[in-house]
């Protein structure tokens, strides 16, 4: 993709770029994310779109950051995608990330309210275990009651400690090796074929990862307990990519917790249904206030 005079490679081939860098900060307000958005829209053959961007709670509650991101992503955007000039017309809404999970539970696939959903009526807490942050929102009768931003750094703290162990044993990791380590931990946990610096990683690495996961789950749930100390929600629902990664460890701490059926994509599903409701049904924004 060529955008604003610069060339970008996105997708699985990104590691082939000579200036490839591995970023793990999930900075949603970075203009490079607009390049990714344009790539997705081009692949979907969509050039006019309403998009909903989820931000960590602390950023979503910052009006200056919200307005800056909306301004950056909204409007007429021109790019060259795989050699083809394209023009995109984008309108952007910005909300706190965990609310996407809520929308995925109370809006059906046609983006219409599911009035029989218990999530419309109960007091509930949504704990979004992300890569960089752990965000919590509480809703009462379908209305946003409170938002909390956990002080934990999310799953990235576990990855950073795992990388330090590997670098101590095998030397500095290259950017593409860091990608491989992250992917293997998340998708092929315990793989005996992980290689770093041309060497197969020893099996005891996975014992280290298991301990790191258990400790991270404990740290997160300790924080959740402290943050929700004065609130007694009817149910606590866990979501986010980190939820998928830590499900076994979290349930070992508290078996009463409910996990979203698709925690990794729950927010994206909900945001899509919100945007679709606004565009195709002419509905007022279902975003709780």
């Amino acid at each position: 993709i060529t955008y604003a005079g610069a060339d970008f490679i996105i997708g699985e081939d990104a590691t082939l770029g000579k200036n490839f860098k591995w970023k793990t900060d999930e900075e949603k307000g970075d203009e490079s994310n607009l390049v990714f958005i344009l790539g997705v829209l081009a692949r979907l053959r969509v050039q006019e779109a309403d998009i909903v961007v989820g931000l960590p709670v602390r950023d979503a509650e910052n009006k200056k950051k919200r307005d800056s991101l909306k301004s950056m992503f909204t409007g007429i955007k021109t790019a060259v995608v795989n050699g083809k000039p394209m023009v995109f017309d984008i309108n952007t809404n910005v909300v706190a990330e965990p609310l996407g999970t809520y929308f995925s539970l109370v809006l059906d696939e046609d983006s219409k309210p599911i009035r029989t959903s218990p999530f419309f009526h109960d007091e509930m807490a949504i704990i979004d275990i992300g890569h960089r942050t752990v965000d919590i929102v509480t809703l009462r009768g379908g209305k946003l009651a409170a938002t909390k931003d956990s002080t934990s750094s999310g799953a990235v703290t576990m990855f950073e400690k795992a990388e330090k162990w590997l670098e101590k044993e095998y030397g500095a990791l290259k950017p593409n090796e860091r990608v491989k380590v992250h992917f293997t931990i998340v998708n092929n946990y315990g793989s005996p074929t992980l290689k770093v610096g041309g060497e197969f990683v020893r099996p005891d690495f996975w014992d280290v990862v298991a301990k790191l996961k258990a400790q991270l789950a404990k740290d997160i749930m300790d924080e959740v307990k402290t943050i929700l100390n004065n609130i007694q929600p009817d149910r606590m629902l866990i979501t986010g990519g980190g939820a998928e990664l830590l499900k076994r460890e979290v349930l070992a701490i508290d078996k009463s917790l409910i996990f979203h059926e698709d925690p990794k994509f729950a927010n994206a599903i909900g945001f899509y249904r919100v945007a679709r409701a606004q565009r195709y049904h002419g509905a007022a924004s279902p975003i709780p206030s």
Side-chain angles (χ1 to χ4, degrees):
I1 295 179
T2 300
Y3 176 75
D7 295 328
F8 301 86
I9 301 174
I10 63 172
E12 293 181 356
D13 290 336
T15 56
L16 303 177
K18 62 180 181 180
N19 295 320
F20 172 73
K21 295 180 181 178
W22 175 234
K23 291 182 64 175
T24 58
D25 59 5
E26 281 196 335
E27 180 52 66
K28 304 297 197 307
D30 192 316
E31 192 169 19
S32 62
N33 284 303
L34 177 58
V35 176
F36 179 72
I37 290 168
L38 298 181
V40 172
L41 293 177
R43 169 166 279 190
L44 295 174
R45 299 179 182 178
V46 172
Q47 291 179 250
E48 181 182 354
D50 289 330
I51 67 173
V52 179
V53 179
L55 289 180
V57 168
R58 76 162 74 95
D59 293 338
E61 292 186 330
N62 185 316
K63 185 177 185 302
K64 184 177 180 180
K65 286 191 175 183
R66 287 201 316 272
D67 291 346
S68 174
L69 189 146
K70 289 175 71 172
S71 176
M72 184 187 303
F73 289 176
T74 295
I76 304 297
K77 311 294 180 182
T78 59
V80 179
V81 184
N82 293 333
K84 179 183 178 182
M86 301 187 74
V87 179
F88 302 88
D89 186 0
I90 302 172
N91 181 53
T92 306
N93 202 345
V94 180
V95 296
E97 282 177 334
L99 290 177
T101 292
Y102 173 72
F103 299 140
S104 76
L105 297 169
V106 300
L107 297 176
D108 64 20
E109 292 183 359
D110 293 322
S111 298
K112 296 179 180 178
I114 307 172
R115 296 298 178 188
T116 57
S117 171
F119 299 103
F120 256 131
H121 310 289
D122 291 350
E123 180 169 14
M124 65 178 297
I126 300 177
I127 296 101
D128 187 337
I129 304 176
H131 186 77
R132 182 168 60 94
T133 59
V134 176
D135 296 306
I136 301 173
V137 296
T138 57
L139 298 109
R140 186 178 300 112
K143 297 294 184 180
L144 187 63
T147 59
K148 303 288 185 181
D149 183 27
S150 170
T151 57
S152 173
S153 295
V156 71
T157 57
M158 185 270 291
F159 286 118
E160 288 174 344
K161 291 175 181 177
E163 288 173 359
K164 287 180 180 178
W165 188 93
L166 287 171
E167 291 189 329
K168 182 179 178 181
E169 300 293 323
Y170 300 98
L173 299 179
K174 298 176 182 178
N176 63 326
E177 288 178 329
R178 295 184 67 199
V179 174
K180 189 191 307 180
V181 169
H182 281 233
F183 181 85
T184 304
I185 290 175
V186 173
N187 299 292
N188 197 14
Y189 183 71
S191 170
T193 60
L194 177 63
K195 294 179 72 174
V196 172
E199 297 183 54
F200 285 106
V201 174
R202 298 195 313 270
D204 57 326
F205 169 66
W206 298 108
D207 295 331
V208 173
V209 172
K211 292 178 181 177
L212 291 174
K213 289 175 66 179
Q215 185 61 52
L216 178 60
K218 181 181 182 303
D219 292 344
I220 289 174
M221 295 315 299
D222 283 348
E223 284 193 325
V224 169
K225 183 178 180 180
T226 299
I227 290 171
L228 297 179
N229 184 46
N230 296 322
I231 303 173
Q232 299 295 324
D234 298 312
R235 65 187 75 208
M236 291 195 293
L237 187 136
I238 312 295
T239 189
E244 196 170 76
L245 177 68
L246 300 172
K247 183 174 183 178
R248 183 174 63 180
E249 291 77 12
V250 169
L251 285 177
I253 296 170
D254 187 345
K255 290 183 173 58
S256 70
L257 297 170
I258 302 169
F259 276 71
H260 194 282
E261 291 183 357
D262 193 353
K264 188 174 182 179
F265 293 102
N267 289 329
I269 292 168
F271 293 149
Y272 169 76
R273 292 178 181 177
V274 170
R276 191 172 184 272
Q278 292 174 310
R279 173 166 285 261
Y280 296 111
H281 299 317
S285 173
I287 297 173
S289 57

